[in-house]
Amino acid sequence: MRTFRTKRALGLGLVALALGTATACAADPSGSGAAGDTTLTFGVDGTVPNIDPVLADNSTVDQSVVPMYESLVDYDPDGTLQGRLATAWTVADDARSVTFTLRDGAKFHDGAPVTADDVKYTFDRAKALGVGVAQFLSDYASAEVVSPTEVKINLAAPSSLFLGGLAKVYVVNSALVEKNAGSDQGQSWLASHDAGSGPYTLEDFKPNRQIIFEKYDDFTGDANAAAPDKIVYRLIPESSTQREEMLAGNIDVADGIEPQDLATVLEQDHFTSVELAKAQGLYVYFNTQRAPFDDPSVRLGIRLAYDYQAHVKTILGGHGAVATGVAPAVMDCRPEIAPFEQDLDQARELLKGLAASGQELTLAYQAIFAEQADAATALQSTLRDLGVKVKLKTVDYPTYIESLGSVGTTPDMAVIWDNPPTPDVGSLLTTRYHSKFRDTSTNFGQYGNPAIDKLLDQANATGDATARCDLYKQVEQDLVDDSASMPVADEVTTVVVPTTVTGVELYPAHTGYMPQTYQIED
């Protein structure tokens, strides 16, 4: 057995398991409410209809629940897997079980202790619901309560991805959820209530409008003494609105301001910016199980039609880079692939049959995001010049995810931002391209290829980190060769904050805000 304790030098635990309407005063973040209280107001560029942590595979939901809940483990900004609720974990020699020791004194927001029963309940609930973070528990078989502070997790098979995936499996207060469960295992209740043990409690939630968090005084984890007493999320999808609200002093922090709007904000002396190279990119996903995209040559033709350099220069204003593979450039275990380029002559040749057929394709995108809208319009225009008809269809993210439940409802093409579930590239490759995730919310292209499945299964089961990395590189090269998807650009996110705010860091398992890490300086 191998035991890991939660200190800075934990190392990557994945390798060990590899065998197997309240308004805050935002103009001055140091002043709101009672004397000495601090409030930080964030502009969040998404919609949040639901805060059930089982849905934290959605990055906007994740950033909405991460102040309130704790997972057993999580990644620090340097990529180190650390304990959160867990202070140690022991991996069995056969890598088919992991035993976690919980932090002494950890308490939920109602004062109840966090116990092994709560961990078991959380895992069992997610597995039974089969949605959201259930994707990270695909190898979870059962849990055994060893003691109130010790729980043994049994796996159906060794998995190198299991530990890292737990960064988004937030432990819920089982007694509280059961009390309010009804007939849906608490989904209706948790959609708007807090059952967590994190550093902040829920004060107010107005779906798709606003969330207010208040610091939990009895939090026993690693606390940030300079963190704000109150955090406000204002859900503002549009870049121009975030810009105006920031200039008006109604929000303090924003990361959804598009390049064309940034200069106006940063002209103000009291604002500064931090650029974060996130593991996030813009993609076009094809419905690979339905004509014409069941033909790799058609997929390649579409891929060759797009002007990637113009996308980065014009649409992103230089804040990003042309994609060089199916995984974002900041990730490890990537093969050497040249930046994608436009080749209209080859695209025209590959697409002449599709053009002659007269078939009209559907291209879905989220209209509230300028980059997605501009990319969809640019691709439609280029394909029109090649004789291919494309109909644009606006969609919100929850509707798009729901459409992935079957091949028949998945759009022909979709322009979408995507990011890996965890810093392990295997989490992206497996959930997006393994056939076992088809007809779920994670395989965006309904892709399936027995050869790819075999390589991914080998990689996820091996304890040899070098061999696993080599297998992932082969998978990535094969996916590019098969035009399994169309990566467009790697993203750089610019976070705008007051000059008095520090602690803006990227936590690699969470592409959104980690507001409890922000510090307000005097």
Side-chain angles (χ1 to χ4, degrees), residues 16 23 34 126 142 181 238 257 306 385 398 437 472 520:
T23 303
S142 64
E238 300 85 1
I257 300 179
Y306 196 69
D385 292 343
F437 286 106
Y472 287 150
I520 300 176

Side-chain angles (χ1 to χ4, degrees), residues 461-494:
T462 182
D464 186 329
T466 300
R468 184 167 63 253
C469 191
D470 289 342
L471 287 166
Y472 287 150
K473 288 180 180 179
Q474 183 178 344
V475 167
E476 293 168 71
Q477 183 64 63
D478 291 349
L479 290 171
V480 170
D481 293 344
D482 199 28
S483 297
S485 63
M486 179 178 150
V488 175
D490 289 326
E491 305 289 313
V492 174
T493 296
T494 302

Side-chain angles (χ1 to χ4, degrees), residues 40-44 231-235 251-254 513 515 518:
L40 206 58
T41 301
F42 293 72
V44 177
I231 291 167
V232 179
Y233 279 1
R234 291 188 55 206
L235 304 174
I251 60 176
D252 301 306
V253 184
Y513 295 119
Y518 284 53

Side-chain angles (χ1 to χ4, degrees), residues 301-383:
I302 301 291
R303 207 181 82 194
L304 291 171
Y306 196 69
D307 191 339
Y308 302 89
Q309 285 71 27
H311 182 102
V312 171
K313 181 179 179 180
T314 304
I315 296 177
L316 292 181
H319 294 270
V322 174
T324 57
V326 297
V330 299
M331 303 195 78
D332 292 331
C333 298
R334 298 176 72 257
E336 291 292 330
I337 297 174
F340 295 124
E341 293 184 334
Q342 184 182 51
D343 187 331
L344 288 176
D345 290 337
Q346 189 177 356
R348 182 177 290 105
E349 180 65 23
L350 291 168
L351 296 175
K352 63 182 181 181
L354 176 59
S357 74
Q359 180 177 353
E360 184 178 63
L361 306 174
T362 299
L363 175 58
Y365 70 99
Q366 297 177 85
I368 60 174
F369 299 125
E371 183 187 4
Q372 294 186 27
D374 291 347
T377 302
L379 182 57
Q380 178 195 43
S381 177
T382 300
L383 292 177

Side-chain angles (χ1 to χ4, degrees), residues 487-508:
V488 175
D490 289 326
E491 305 289 313
V492 174
T493 296
T494 302
V495 184
V496 182
V497 295
T499 55
T500 55
V501 172
T502 60
V504 183
E505 291 186 280
L506 177 63
Y507 282 73

Side-chain angles (χ1 to χ4, degrees), residues 393-407:
K393 177 183 178 181
T394 61
V395 64
D396 59 54
Y397 189 76
T399 301
Y400 170 67
I401 292 299
E402 185 178 356
S403 76
L404 301 176
S406 74
V407 169

